[in-house]
Amino acid sequence: MAMTKGGTIGVDLVTVALLDDAGKIKTGADGLTTNGIFVITDEVLGTNQANITNLEGTVTEIYGNNGAVDSSTGKGNTSIAFVFNALPTDVKHKILGDKSDGKGAGCHHKSSHVSLR
């Protein structure tokens, strides 16, 4: 899908991988697949949305002497929110950092380092 006047573009393909502390892709049982890269394909009904927010920091005006005298721009805190149509449950839990409690349920263990492309 091409860019439109309003700035909307489509999502052709998303790939996801878990990273270790050194920034290398986790593979096998520690990763999302044997090579570590999970491709969001038509088999899992694709990606519905990708919303990227906070690319730029917020501008704050500095007031003095009854008016704005300066402004300050904070750093952006960029985040991406995806809507996947049918992400497999095991992949979702690994991305979220959930671990099995051994009783059929999961509990949050620690946040994962995730690479998106």
Side-chain angles (χ1 to χ4, degrees):
M1 189 180 292
M3 183 174 281
T4 63
K5 190 172 185 178
T8 302
I9 54 175
V11 178
D12 289 328
L13 183 70
V14 174
T15 58
V16 184
L18 298 178
L19 304 178
D20 63 18
D21 291 336
K24 297 188 187 260
I25 294 175
K26 293 182 178 181
T27 58
D30 292 333
L32 298 178
T33 63
T34 53
N35 72 354
I37 300 171
F38 187 82
V39 182
I40 308 296
T41 62
D42 292 347
E43 291 178 21
V44 294
L45 305 180
T47 305
N48 185 302
Q49 291 180 19
N51 297 313
I52 304 171
T53 56
N54 297 323
L55 291 172
E56 296 180 2
T58 304
V59 176
T60 304
E61 290 187 340
I62 300 169
Y63 291 91
N65 296 335
N66 263 349
V69 294
D70 201 354
S71 64
S72 173
T73 305
K75 293 182 179 180
N77 189 13
T78 305
S79 66
I80 302 172
F82 285 99
V83 176
F84 299 118
N85 288 317
L87 190 66
T89 303
D90 60 326
V91 171
K92 178 181 78 170
H93 286 296
K94 282 187 174 185
I95 290 171
L96 294 174
D98 296 340
K99 299 284 183 189
S100 173
D101 66 357
K103 301 176 186 174
C107 57
H108 187 69
H109 179 64
K110 73 177 210 178
S111 297
S112 299
H113 296 278
V114 180
S115 174
L116 302 165
R117 182 170 185 192

